[in-house]
C-alpha cells in the first residue's frame, strides 16, 4: 500500500488543533453538518476537519448520512453490508483518517447494529474501527515491526465484541482475538438496535526491543480490556490514524450476512487524553408537551439548560434557530439539539394545527401499583379534559394526565374554544391481584379478603406490616387511604448459565444430551435461550421424569445460526422432576465446554434447581448443555396491589353511591345484589377487554352464564371464575 503523504497535512492539522476549544481533541464529528442521504466521501471527511488518506473502499456506494437514527444530534453515518457478500470489496467500507503521530492516543465512537443485523451465515465475524499506525498491518500479513500495526475491534457470533489485534506478537497468521469483558466477568455482547460507546487507548512500546505496549478499552464507560506487554514496532512508526475498516469476513461465503444490514457510527472523537473521548451522559433538553395553534395562536418554547450547552432548533433536517427560546406559528415537528463539549442530546416536539390526543394504545399494570395515562398535552386553562372508564365519567378527572390502578377501557375528551374536540382511548389490562376498593363507616371493623390462594403480605401506606394471609381484619380509617397486598411467594427472574461463551462446542446427540431439573412448587417456564450453529428448526420437549410423559412439545422454525435464539415456552409445571431435550432439532446446537464457572446445581431456593446434564453421562465434566438463561415466574409477581379505603360518617354513606354489592353464583347464573337503579355493570375478560354491559333496572341483577366459556371474568373490578 502506498504510504500517506503525511507532510502535506501537518500544517492544516496543527491549525485545527490550535483552533479547537479543547486543544487535546484532535478530531471530532457527529455528522451534523452533512446533508442526509449523501455518501460520506473523502471530501466530506475533510470538510469535517479530518485528514483522509488518499484511498478508500466503499465510501461512495455503501455509506450514507442518516437522519432517522442518531445517538446524539440528528445524524449518524450508516454503513451497508449487502446480503450474500463478504470482504472489503463488497461489504462495509474502509478509510484511514490521519493525524500527527503520537506515542499514546485515545479514540471513541458510538456504534449501533441494525435491528436485522446478521452476524454471518456459518462463520460469524466482521471488523469494526480502531486505532492503527504505519501501513496498518492487517489482512493476514506478518507484522514485522516496520509495516505498521492495527488495533481494530470485531463482532463475533451473537454480537460478542472483541479486540482484533495485529502486532509483532500475534501468534497466528491472522489477528489476535481478545474478548472484551465487563468487570463482573461477563462478555461484552452487543444487542441489535442499541447504541454502544466504544473507547480505545493505545500506548506504543517504549523502545524497538521492548514489549511494553498497551491496549485498553471501555464500553459505555466500563473498562472491558487492559492488555499489556505488546510490541507494535521496531522503527519510528507510531499511532497516526483512526482506521475505519468494517466488513463481513473472513474470506469466503460462510461469512456473508443473510440479510442486507447496517451499522451506524456517531460522535467520533480522537484525542490525547481519556477525558477528551470518554463516555459522558449529557443532559437531555425538555421542550415540554406538544402545542396546538388553534388554542394559543403561536407556540412558544423555553428550554432551561446549563450555560455550557448550545441549543439548536431544526425542522425537516435543517437548522432554523439557536438559543434557549423559540417561537413559531408554523405547524410541524421540531427538534431541539443541546450540545456540550463532548456529546449532545435532543428532544422532539410537535406544533399542531388542531387538538390531538396521543394516548398509548395499550397499557399493562404489573411492574408498579399505579400507572399514569398521558395525553401528551400541556395543562392550559383554555383546554378542558374529561376522562371516562368503560363509558362512565370519572369525577374530578379533568387534567391532561390520569393516574389509575384498575383495568378498563379509558377514554379522554379534549375541547377548547375555536378547536375541534379531540378524543383518544387506551386499553388497560392488569396483572395485579383482584381486590375491591371499600367504602364504609369510619372506625368500623371490616374484613378484607382475596379470592386467590397464596401467601399474602399486607402493608399500610407507609410500608408498615399489617399481617399475612388471605384476609385481614382492620379498623376502617377516616377519609381516603390505601393499603397494599402482595404475593410473598411471587417471583420473576432467571436461572442457569446466562449465555454461551467463546469456549463452545457443537452437539446433536439430543436423546442423551438433555437438562434435568427439579421444581419445588408450581411455576411457569416463560422462555429459554439456545444457540443454533446454522439456520435450523429446533424442537423442544419437557418430560415428566416421574411418569415419563411429554408435557411440552414445540418446534421453532427457521432460527438463525451464530446467534442467541430466545424461545417462548409458557409451560406451567407442578412440583416434580423433569428434563428438557431437543430431539428432532435439524442441526447441531452450541454448548459451553469446560468453562471455569460451570457448577451445578443452578438453584433458586424453594423454587427450581437445574440439577445437571444427563447425570449418568456428562455431569462429571465441566460442560453446560444447550439450554441457557431460563426465565421463570411463580405466583403473582406483580407489584403490590393497592386497595382504596374510604371511611365516612353514616350520613355521608347514605348520600354516596357505592359498589358494596354482593356477587353469588349458581350453576348458570351470576346474581348481583345491592345495586343502585340506573347504574351500569361492566364485565370484561381477565385482560380487561369489555365483553358485556348491563344497565341496572332494580337493586338486583341476574346474568345468565350458560353459554360463557370457562375462565376468569371481571365484574366491576371483582374477579369471578366460571367453571362447569
Amino acid at each position: 500500500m502506498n504510504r500517506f503523504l503525511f507532510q502535506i497535512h501537518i500544517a492544516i492539522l496543527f491549525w485545527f488543533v490550535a483552533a479547537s476549544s479543547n486543544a487535546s481533541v484532535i478530531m471530532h464529528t457527529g455528522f451534523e453538518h452533512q446533508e442526509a442521504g449523501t455518501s460520506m466521501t473523502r471530501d466530506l471527511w475533510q470538510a469535517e476537519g479530518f485528514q483522509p488518506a488518499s484511498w478508500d473502499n466503499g465510501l461512495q456506494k455503501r455509506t450514507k448520512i442518516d437522519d432517522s437514527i442518531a445517538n446524539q444530534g440528528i445524524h449518524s453515518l450508516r454503513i451497508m453490508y449487502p446480503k450474500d457478500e463478504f470482504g472489503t470489496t463488497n461489504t462495509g467500507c474502509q478509510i484511514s483518517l490521519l493525524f500527527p503521530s503520537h506515542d499514546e492516543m485515545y479514540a471513541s465512537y458510538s456504534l449501533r447494529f441494525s435491528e436485522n443485523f446478521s452476524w454471518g451465515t456459518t462463520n460469524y465475524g466482521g471488523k469494526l474501527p480502531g486505532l492503527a499506525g504505519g501501513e496498518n498491518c492487517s489482512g493476514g500479513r506478518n507484522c514485522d515491526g516496520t509495516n505498521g500495526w492495527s488495533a481494530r475491534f470485531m463482532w463475533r457470533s451473537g454480537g460478542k465484541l472483541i479486540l482484533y489485534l495485529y502486532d509483532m506478537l500475534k501468534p497466528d497468521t491472522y489477528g489476535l482475538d481478545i474478548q472484551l469483558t465487563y468487570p463482573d466477568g461477563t462478555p461484552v455482547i452487543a444487542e441489535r438496535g442499541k447504541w454502544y460507546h466504544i473507547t480505545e487507548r493505545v500506548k506504543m512500546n517504549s523502545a524497538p526491543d521492548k514489549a511494553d505496549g498497551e491496549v485498553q478499552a471501555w464500553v459505555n464507560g466500563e473498562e472491558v480490556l487492559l492488555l499489556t506487554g505488546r510490541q507494535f514496532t521496531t522503527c519510528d512508526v507510531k499511532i497516526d490514524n483512526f482506521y475505519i475498516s468494517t466488513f463481513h469476513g473472513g474470506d469466503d461465503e460462510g461469512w456473508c450476512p443473510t440479510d442486507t444490514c447496517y451499522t451506524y457510527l456517531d460522535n467520533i472523537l480522537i484525542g490525547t487524553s481519556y477525558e477528551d473521548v470518554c463516555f459522558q451522559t449529557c443532559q437531555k433538553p425538555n421542550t415540554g408537551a406538544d402545542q396546538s395553534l388553534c388554542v394559543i395562536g403561536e407556540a412558544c418554547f423555553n428550554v432551561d439548560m446549563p450555560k455550557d450547552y448550545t441549543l439548536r432548533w431544526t425542522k425537516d433536517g435543517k437548522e432554523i434557530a439557536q438559543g434557549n427560546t423559540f417561537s413559531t406559528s408554523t405547524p410541524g415537528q421540531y427538534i431541539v439539539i443541546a450540545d456540550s463539549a463532548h456529546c449532545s442530546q435532543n428532544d422532539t416536539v410537535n406544533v399542531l394545527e388542531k387538538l390531538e390526543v396521543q394516548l398509548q394504545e395499550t397499557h399493562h399494570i404489573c411492574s408498579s401499583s399505579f400507572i399514569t395515562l398521558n395525553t401528551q398535552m400541556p395543562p392550559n386553562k383554555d383546554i378542558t379534559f374529561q376522562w371516562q372508564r368503560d363509558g362512565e365519567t370519572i369525577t374530578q378527572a379533568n387534567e391532561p394526565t390520569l393516574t389509575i390502578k384498575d383495568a378498563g377501557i379509558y377514554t379522554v375528551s379534549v375541547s377548547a374554544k375555536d378547536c375541534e374536540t379531540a378524543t383518544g382511548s387506551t386499553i388497560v389490562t392488569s396483572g395485579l391481584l383482584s381486590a375491591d376498593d371499600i367504602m364504609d363507616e369510619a372506625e368500623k371493623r371490616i374484613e378484607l379478603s382475596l379470592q386467590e390462594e397464596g401467601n399474602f403480605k399486607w402493608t399500610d401506606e407507609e410500608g408498615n406490616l399489617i399481617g399475612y394471609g388471605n384476609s385481614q381484619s382492620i379498623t376502617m380509617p377516616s377519609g381516603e387511604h390505601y393499603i397494599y397486598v402482595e404475593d410473598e411467594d411471587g417471583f420473576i427472574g432467571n436461572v442457569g448459565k446466562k449465555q454461551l461463551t467463546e469456549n463452545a462446542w457443537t452437539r446433536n446427540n439430543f436423546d442423551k444430551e438433555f437438562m434435568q431439573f427439579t421444581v419445588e412448587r408450581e411455576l411457569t417456564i416463560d422462555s429459554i435461550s439456545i444457540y443454533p450453529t446454522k439456520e435450523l428448526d429446533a424442537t423442544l420437549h419437557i418430560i415428566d421424569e416421574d411418569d415419563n410423559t411429554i408435557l411440552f412439545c414445540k418446534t421453532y422454525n427457521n432460527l438463525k445460526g451464530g446467534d442467541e435464539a430466545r424461545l417462548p415456552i409458557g409451560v406451567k409445571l407442578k412440583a416434580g422432576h423433569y428434563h428438557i431435550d431437543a430431539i428432532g432439532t435439524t442441526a447441531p446446537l452450541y454448548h459451553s465446554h469446560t468453562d471455569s464457572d460451570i457448577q451445578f446445581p443452578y438453584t433458586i431456593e424453594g423454587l427450581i434447581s437445574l440439577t445437571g446434564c444427563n447425570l449418568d453421562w456428562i455431569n462429571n465434566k465441566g460442560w453446560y448443555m444447550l439450554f441457557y438463561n431460563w426465565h421463570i415466574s411463580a405466583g403473582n409477581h406483580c407489584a403490590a396491589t393497592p386497595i382504596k379505603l374510604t371511611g365516612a360518617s353514616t350520613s355521608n354513606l347514605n348520600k354516596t353511591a357505592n359498589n358494596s354489592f354482593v356477587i353469588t353464583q349458581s350453576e348458570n347464573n351470576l346474581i348481583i345484589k345491592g345495586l343502585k337503579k340506573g347504574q351500569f355493570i361492566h364485565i370484561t375478560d381477565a385482560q380487561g377487554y369489555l365483553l358485556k354491559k348491563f344497565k341496572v333496572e332494580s337493586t338486583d341483577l341476574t346474568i345468565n352464564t350458560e353459554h360463557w366459556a370457562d375462565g376468569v371474568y371481571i365484574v366491576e373490578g371483582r374477579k369471578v371464575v366460571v367453571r362447569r
Side-chain angles (χ1 to χ4, degrees):
M1 183 186 301
N2 183 23
R3 187 55 190 140
F4 320 121
L5 301 177
F6 225 11
Q7 289 80 4
I8 295 176
H9 306 304
I10 294 295
I12 298 174
L13 282 167
F14 280 134
W15 172 86
F16 175 79
V17 172
S20 172
S21 59
N22 183 341
S24 59
V25 175
I26 302 298
M27 293 180 286
H28 170 227
T29 184
F31 308 100
E32 297 299 290
H33 303 296
Q34 304 305 324
E35 186 174 348
T38 58
S39 299
M40 193 64 187
T41 52
R42 291 202 307 274
D43 58 330
L44 295 188
W45 282 107
Q46 191 156 10
E48 288 289 299
F50 290 79
Q51 293 304 313
S54 58
W55 65 276
D56 72 81
N57 193 334
L59 294 184
Q60 182 66 51
K61 292 183 178 180
R62 295 188 293 275
T63 69
K64 295 289 183 186
I65 301 299
D66 192 283
D67 63 353
S68 64
I69 293 172
N71 183 48
Q72 298 176 6
I74 59 174
H75 287 164
S76 66
L77 177 64
R78 191 191 75 179
I79 303 171
M80 181 174 67
Y81 309 83
K83 179 181 178 181
D84 297 332
E85 300 286 354
F86 67 91
T88 59
T89 302
N90 298 314
T91 69
C93 68
Q94 290 185 297
I95 180 72
S96 285
L97 303 172
L98 311 177
F99 47 77
S101 63
H102 288 71
D103 287 313
E104 186 174 16
M105 208 67 182
Y106 293 79
S108 70
Y109 56 94
S110 296
L111 169 70
R112 182 183 188 270
F113 294 97
S114 61
E115 282 83 354
N116 72 328
F117 198 86
S118 170
W119 311 116
T121 301
T122 57
N123 297 320
Y124 309 103
K127 312 303 187 295
L128 295 167
L131 291 168
E135 295 179 15
N136 295 357
C137 180
S138 57
R141 288 185 294 164
N142 176 43
C143 302
D144 61 13
T146 65
N147 61 348
W149 57 274
S150 60
R152 294 169 295 173
F153 294 95
M154 281 190 70
W155 74 80
R156 288 293 191 189
S157 62
K160 296 181 180 70
L161 296 185
I162 67 166
L163 175 71
Y164 188 58
L165 181 63
Y166 273 82
D167 70 355
M168 295 176 63
L169 302 183
K170 69 181 178 74
D172 299 313
T173 301
Y174 295 99
L176 175 65
D177 279 23
I178 304 174
Q179 174 73 54
L180 304 185
T181 306
Y182 289 116
D184 66 358
T186 61
V188 177
I189 298 178
E191 299 176 30
R192 300 179 181 94
K194 183 177 179 180
W195 284 102
Y196 293 87
H197 185 272
I198 307 219
T199 306
E200 182 180 32
R201 162 187 166 263
V202 175
K203 181 181 179 183
M204 300 301 292
N205 48 297
S206 60
D209 59 346
K210 294 285 189 182
D212 57 0
E214 298 179 358
V215 183
Q216 195 170 8
W218 298 259
V219 171
N220 293 343
E222 290 191 89
E223 185 179 306
V224 294
L225 174 74
L226 177 56
L227 183 65
T228 60
R230 307 310 298 181
Q231 188 174 9
F232 297 100
T233 180
T234 59
C235 60
D236 59 356
V237 171
K238 296 186 180 180
I239 312 165
D240 58 23
N241 75 99
F242 180 65
Y243 192 19
I244 298 180
S245 171
T246 177
F247 55 91
H248 273 72
D251 58 0
D252 62 48
E253 293 180 351
W255 301 90
C256 294
T258 55
D259 297 300
T260 295
C261 54
Y262 307 91
T263 57
Y264 299 83
L265 301 182
D266 203 354
N267 201 40
I268 297 174
L269 277 158
I270 314 296
T272 58
S273 73
Y274 178 70
E275 290 72 21
D276 295 334
V277 304
C278 65
F279 177 71
Q280 295 191 22
T281 55
C282 282
Q283 182 174 327
K284 182 178 175 67
N286 182 10
T287 56
D290 294 345
Q291 298 190 27
S292 302
L293 295 174
C294 67
V295 178
I296 55 179
E298 183 179 50
C300 300
F301 303 96
N302 186 6
V303 179
D304 185 23
M305 294 291 288
K307 292 182 179 180
D308 58 340
Y309 282 80
T310 300
L311 271 70
R312 298 182 289 121
W313 296 82
T314 68
K315 183 177 184 290
D316 299 327
K318 297 181 179 179
E319 185 175 316
I320 57 173
Q322 292 187 359
N324 293 65
T325 60
F326 173 68
S327 301
T328 184
S329 56
T330 302
Q333 186 178 83
Y334 294 83
I335 299 174
V336 61
I337 305 164
D339 288 311
S340 73
H342 292 85
C343 56
S344 67
Q345 290 286 344
N346 60 56
D347 191 27
T348 300
V349 67
N350 294 302
V351 176
L352 309 167
E353 290 189 272
K354 58 184 182 179
L355 295 174
E356 289 187 19
V357 178
Q358 300 180 53
L359 285 178
Q360 186 175 311
E361 186 176 345
T362 60
H363 292 81
H364 185 66
I365 308 174
C366 181
S367 59
S368 60
S369 301
F370 297 87
I371 63 169
T372 298
L373 308 179
N374 191 344
T375 63
Q376 306 300 323
M377 300 179 70
N380 188 305
K381 61 182 179 61
D382 297 320
I383 304 177
T384 300
F385 298 86
Q386 182 58 65
W387 292 87
Q388 293 183 326
R389 176 178 175 240
D390 296 333
E392 296 294 312
T393 297
I394 305 173
T395 59
Q396 298 181 341
N398 49 18
E399 298 292 334
T401 61
L402 178 69
T403 299
I404 60 170
K405 66 179 185 67
D406 298 309
I409 300 174
Y410 288 82
T411 304
V412 62
S413 177
V414 185
S415 58
K417 184 181 178 181
D418 300 326
C419 293
E420 181 182 343
T421 298
T423 61
S425 65
T426 181
I427 298 171
V428 179
T429 58
S430 176
L432 302 181
L433 295 167
S434 179
D436 298 328
D437 294 340
I438 296 178
M439 175 181 285
D440 211 325
E441 183 179 350
E443 304 303 322
K444 178 181 176 181
R445 199 70 181 169
I446 62 169
E447 187 80 11
L448 305 174
S449 62
L450 299 172
Q451 294 185 21
E452 289 92 339
E453 294 295 327
N455 179 25
F456 298 106
K457 176 184 177 182
W458 303 73
T459 56
D460 63 17
E461 289 173 306
E462 286 74 39
N464 298 313
L465 178 65
I466 295 173
Y468 295 92
N470 282 74
S471 63
Q472 291 293 316
S473 178
I474 66 168
T475 300
M476 191 72 173
S478 178
E480 290 187 354
H481 296 271
Y482 283 95
I483 66 170
Y484 295 83
V485 58
E486 60 186 304
D487 186 350
E488 276 282 271
D489 293 330
F491 177 87
I492 185 167
N494 295 71
V495 66
K497 190 171 173 63
K498 290 183 179 180
Q499 59 213 356
L500 185 74
T501 65
E502 289 296 323
N503 185 24
W505 278 18
T506 61
R507 311 297 298 183
N508 62 2
N509 191 14
F510 299 127
D511 59 335
K512 294 182 179 179
E513 295 157 352
F514 50 78
M515 181 78 78
Q516 295 180 307
F517 62 100
T518 298
V519 172
E520 297 187 34
R521 62 182 174 88
E522 187 174 82
L523 58 78
T524 298
I525 301 177
D526 301 306
S527 59
I528 63 169
S529 289
I530 63 173
Y531 292 85
T533 58
K534 59 183 179 180
E535 185 171 310
L536 53 75
D537 299 336
T539 301
L540 270 57
H541 307 86
I542 295 179
I543 310 296
D544 186 333
E545 292 196 334
D546 294 328
D547 58 15
N548 202 35
T549 57
I550 299 175
L551 303 179
F552 173 85
C553 177
K554 185 173 181 179
T555 299
Y556 305 84
N557 296 310
N558 303 318
L559 302 179
K560 291 184 177 181
D563 200 1
E564 176 184 14
R566 192 71 188 162
L567 306 182
I569 303 293
V571 63
K572 184 175 286 188
L573 300 175
K574 297 180 180 179
H577 301 283
Y578 304 89
H579 77 249
I580 180 170
D581 66 47
I583 296 173
T585 297
T586 58
L589 300 176
Y590 285 116
H591 80 98
S592 295
H593 179 67
T594 61
D595 289 351
S596 60
D597 65 342
I598 296 172
Q599 186 173 359
F600 288 97
Y602 290 81
T603 299
I604 298 173
E605 192 67 35
L607 193 58
I608 190 172
S609 181
L610 310 188
T611 52
C613 306
N614 188 359
L615 290 171
D616 295 334
W617 170 60
I618 199 172
N619 210 44
N620 61 334
K621 303 177 182 178
W623 295 7
Y624 184 99
M625 301 301 298
L626 308 177
F627 307 105
Y628 293 77
N629 202 25
W630 301 34
H631 189 279
I632 64 171
S633 56
N636 188 292
H637 53 77
C638 292
T641 300
I643 303 173
K644 184 179 179 181
L645 304 179
T646 305
S649 65
T650 304
S651 59
N652 284 336
L653 280 172
N654 293 334
K655 296 176 184 177
T656 304
N658 64 71
N659 286 334
S660 56
F661 52 81
V662 176
I663 302 176
T664 58
Q665 292 178 257
S666 64
E667 183 177 357
N668 292 317
N669 291 294
L670 287 181
I671 303 165
I672 309 176
K673 295 181 178 290
L675 299 172
K676 182 180 178 182
K677 186 177 180 180
Q679 78 177 92
F680 287 89
I681 294 295
H682 303 82
I683 299 176
T684 71
D685 64 15
Q687 285 70 47
Y689 292 95
L690 184 64
L691 301 175
K692 298 180 183 295
K693 179 179 178 181
F694 299 92
K695 186 174 182 179
V696 178
E697 302 297 338
S698 68
T699 57
D700 297 346
L701 177 66
T702 299
I703 302 171
N704 186 273
T705 62
E706 182 178 359
H707 300 294
W708 289 18
D710 287 0
V712 175
Y713 297 84
I714 308 299
V715 181
E716 291 298 313
R718 304 187 189 184
K719 186 169 78 171
V720 174
V721 180
V722 173
R723 291 194 181 95
R724 304 301 172 198

